[in-house]
Amino acid sequence: MQPTAAGRLLTRHAAIISQHVAEAETALADLGAGRTGRLTIRYFVSVGPTLLAPALARLRREHPGVTMDPKVTDPDDPLPGRGAGQR
């Protein structure tokens, strides 16, 4: 038996699709396990130097694939960072 041209074409594409699915599964597993992604950290100015700096250093060491996004917040703001149109 010989595969047809269509069969050979589909075999090549199936291999590519299979590789992409495996990569997507790995990326999702990393995201779900906290090895990748983005972490926004809200903090008050008063604790930034003493608490935040060592915590960020440790997080970066233990989770190098996670992007840290520290943001200063106002302690009197009940919804920090929530501007118009944000959820």
Side-chain angles (χ1 to χ4, degrees):
M1 293 177 103
Q2 291 275 10
T4 64
R8 289 188 301 273
L9 176 73
L10 287 175
T11 299
R12 285 193 307 271
H13 283 282
I16 293 168
I17 290 168
S18 178
Q19 178 63 35
H20 284 250
V21 168
E23 290 170 5
E25 287 173 341
T26 298
L28 285 172
D30 287 345
L31 185 63
R35 291 184 292 268
T36 61
R38 180 177 198 85
L39 177 62
T40 300
I41 302 168
R42 304 253 180 226
Y43 69 97
F44 304 125
V45 173
S46 60
V47 299
T50 55
L51 297 177
L52 184 67
L56 283 179
R58 183 174 177 182
L59 281 168
R60 285 190 178 114
R61 234 183 3 264
E62 294 179 7
H63 303 281
V66 176
T67 302
M68 310 294 170
D69 186 19
K71 295 189 184 284
V72 176
T73 190
D74 178 356
D76 296 325
D77 185 357
L79 295 173
R82 302 290 183 199
Q86 290 184 328
R87 290 185 228 176

